[in-house]
Amino acid sequence: MIPGSFDYHRPQSVSEAVGLLKDKGDEAFIVAGGHSLIPMMKLRMSTPEHLIDIQDIAEIKNISIFGSDVTIGAFVTQAEIISSEALHGICPVLREASLQIADPQIRNVGTIGGNVANGDPGNDMPAIMQALDATFVLAGEEGTREVKARDFYEAAYFTARAETEMLTLIKFTAPAAGHGSCYMKQKRKIGDYATAAAVVILTMNGTTVQNVEIALTNVADTPLYAEEANRLLIGTSLDDASIKAAVEAAKAITDPADDGRGPKDFRTHIAGVMVERAIRQAATTAS
Amino acid sequence: MSKMNVKMTVNGKEIESLSEPRTLLIHFLREDHKLKGPHIGCDTGHCGACTVDLDGKSVKSCMTFVGQANGANVTTIEGIANPDGTLHVLQEAFKEHHGLQCGFCTPGMITRAYRLLQENPSPTEKEIRYGISGNLCRCTGYQNIVKAISMAAQTLNTQEAAE
């Protein structure tokens, strides 16, 4: 399959990339790893006239950690997330989830920026960014603005990012030391998108839940932040009844599609199973 | 849509072409430079038959535009054998342990295994299976592929210890 023709650009800075986006308008697409975009271009479902390759932009290629403040550049690959010991030390759920994305070759080129900005409901990082309460930095012609991950996703492939903007950085505060976390993903085969997946980030105070953040992947046309499930768990001792109530609250917000991964009811059921397992697993790692 | 000048080092040799930007790396290698080792299997990034080594990382060349690889150092299956023409330890091991049947996935499989053993010189069986999870084989059931990679790792480690 041969994609449609385009002109290729390789800007050296964010401002140059944003300038190109402005000049070329909706005929221009950004390419990072390209493993979502290139298949669409081969099918001619996407036919950009200009492709802006952001691999040379140094300012979006780093993971920086100051205390508990984490900043990840949009061009950081899944492989780089996996190999960062510093990041793993303060936020292990990112390595855990990255290892469940696609396969080694794809993780070598797939970027966190592409994963969160593409708006594909199957992508794993958006729900995790919602659980972490991350902030996305968008660069446009009038400078930068910040959008919360919890406000970013509007519908499948529709996000708060304007066509003339570029995601540059992802920022979040690492969860408290001693937190437990888990990304539980049910998939048909290794490397597949989730049938349903859940992330849980849990902070305990003795035997009581001090804080919990649950979010879901691929059971609606956006990632889902499970606010009510969180509320039902905080202050409990993670007893079976409380977990069951949180699971039901999480299931209640799902609205999955019937597709090759299973009928709607099945996927909602699996979402509940993933939430329960993730809560129990996160509890074993919390101190 | 203008053509672009593309230059890269492939199997140690610098090559240059005037290419349409929509040219995929796999087409650049196979059609422009007659390196028919990397195969086009699924053409959708799933099967890994097109795997090449790009700047020290395994990538799928059917999912890479030539511009993205501009200036890179690329190794294909044609560049894996020893400089004197004898087979690389991995190639020997695939032959010895029957790590292939039809052979279609083999160039991608060996190119991936070549990098895997540099990332992790003594992988467990589980690590080998996980490490080649981006390469599909529809004949062997993987058993002998995993065995071949495991035996190659042992041979390479023994050779290194002897040096």
Side-chain angles (χ1 to χ4, degrees), chain A residues 28 44 52 59 67 80 100 127 139 210 212 223 248 271-272:
Chain A
R44 308 275 176 127
I52 304 170
E59 59 209 283
E80 287 162 347
Q100 298 182 67
Q210 187 179 330
V212 64
E248 290 308 318

Side-chain angles (χ1 to χ4, degrees), chain A residues 64-137:
Chain A
S64 22
I65 300 171
F66 294 102
S68 59
D69 291 335
V70 180
T71 305
I72 305 179
F75 203 81
V76 170
T77 64
Q78 309 295 354
E80 287 162 347
I81 300 241
I82 291 165
S83 62
S84 170
E85 291 301 333
L87 186 61
H88 181 64
I90 59 167
C91 192
V93 75
L94 292 175
R95 176 185 291 174
E96 183 190 6
S98 292
L99 284 167
Q100 298 182 67
I101 295 173
D103 60 47
Q105 286 93 318
I106 293 175
R107 291 193 291 270
N108 279 335
V109 292
T111 62
I112 190 160
N115 199 286
V116 303
N118 193 31
D120 182 340
N123 286 344
D124 295 287
M125 287 295 173
I128 295 165
M129 292 303 143
Q130 292 193 336
L132 290 168
D133 198 16
T135 299
F136 300 153
V137 180

Side-chain angles (χ1 to χ4, degrees), chain A residues 50-202:
Chain A
H50 298 271
L51 215 54
I52 304 170
D53 181 349
I54 57 174
Q55 67 170 295
D56 283 349
I57 305 179
E59 59 209 283
I60 57 167
K61 292 171 89 163
N62 297 316
I63 299 173
S64 22
I65 300 171
F66 294 102
S68 59
D69 291 335
V70 180
T71 305
I72 305 179
F75 203 81
V76 170
T77 64
Q78 309 295 354
E80 287 162 347
I81 300 241
I82 291 165
S83 62
S84 170
E85 291 301 333
L87 186 61
H88 181 64
I90 59 167
C91 192
V93 75
L94 292 175
R95 176 185 291 174
E96 183 190 6
S98 292
L99 284 167
Q100 298 182 67
I101 295 173
D103 60 47
Q105 286 93 318
I106 293 175
R107 291 193 291 270
N108 279 335
V109 292
T111 62
I112 190 160
N115 199 286
V116 303
N118 193 31
D120 182 340
N123 286 344
D124 295 287
M125 287 295 173
I128 295 165
M129 292 303 143
Q130 292 193 336
L132 290 168
D133 198 16
T135 299
F136 300 153
V137 180
L138 302 169
E141 52 175 315
E142 277 150 25
T144 61
R145 67 184 181 110
E146 299 191 345
V147 180
K148 285 284 192 186
R150 291 175 191 172
D151 302 326
F152 186 72
Y153 299 94
E154 294 166 356
Y157 302 101
F158 286 91
T159 67
R161 184 185 70 87
E163 275 171 352
T164 52
E165 287 179 316
M166 166 181 164
L167 173 77
T168 54
L169 301 171
I170 295 161
K171 303 196 296 188
F172 62 90
T173 303
H179 77 275
S181 61
C182 179
Y183 188 62
M184 195 61 76
K185 179 176 175 181
Q186 167 86 305
K187 48 198 186 297
R188 296 172 300 181
K189 59 176 263 296
I190 191 162
D192 193 14
Y193 291 114
T195 302
V199 54
V200 172
I201 295 170
L202 176 71

Side-chain angles (χ1 to χ4, degrees), chain B residues 125-137:
Chain B
E125 183 191 327
K126 199 174 160 193
E127 286 167 345
I128 293 173
R129 287 183 184 275
Y130 188 69
I132 59 165
S133 60
N135 294 76
L136 300 182
C137 171

Side-chain angles (χ1 to χ4, degrees), chain A residues 1-8 10 31-35 38-39 41-42 44 48-49 51 53 55 77 80 82 98-109 189-190, chain B residues 1-2 4 20-24 27 42-46 48 51 57-60 62-71 108 112 119 129-136:
Chain A
M1 291 177 284
I2 312 292
S5 293
F6 58 85
D7 282 329
Y8 174 85
R10 213 198 255 201
V31 64
H35 280 42
I38 296 172
M41 290 175 66
K42 286 185 174 188
R44 308 275 176 127
E49 288 179 15
L51 215 54
D53 181 349
Q55 67 170 295
T77 64
E80 287 162 347
I82 291 165
S98 292
L99 284 167
Q100 298 182 67
I101 295 173
D103 60 47
Q105 286 93 318
I106 293 175
R107 291 193 291 270
N108 279 335
V109 292
K189 59 176 263 296
I190 191 162
Chain B
M1 306 286 168
S2 50
M4 61 186 291
E20 276 193 73
R22 64 173 169 167
T23 308
L24 293 153
H27 295 139
C42 67
D43 210 6
T44 58
H46 289 93
T51 298
K57 291 183 292 193
S58 302
V59 303
K60 295 182 174 175
C62 82
M63 281 293 140
T64 308
F65 284 124
V66 79
Q68 294 176 285
N70 204 356
R112 171 60 197 140
E119 292 161 355
R129 287 183 184 275
Y130 188 69
I132 59 165
S133 60
N135 294 76
L136 300 182

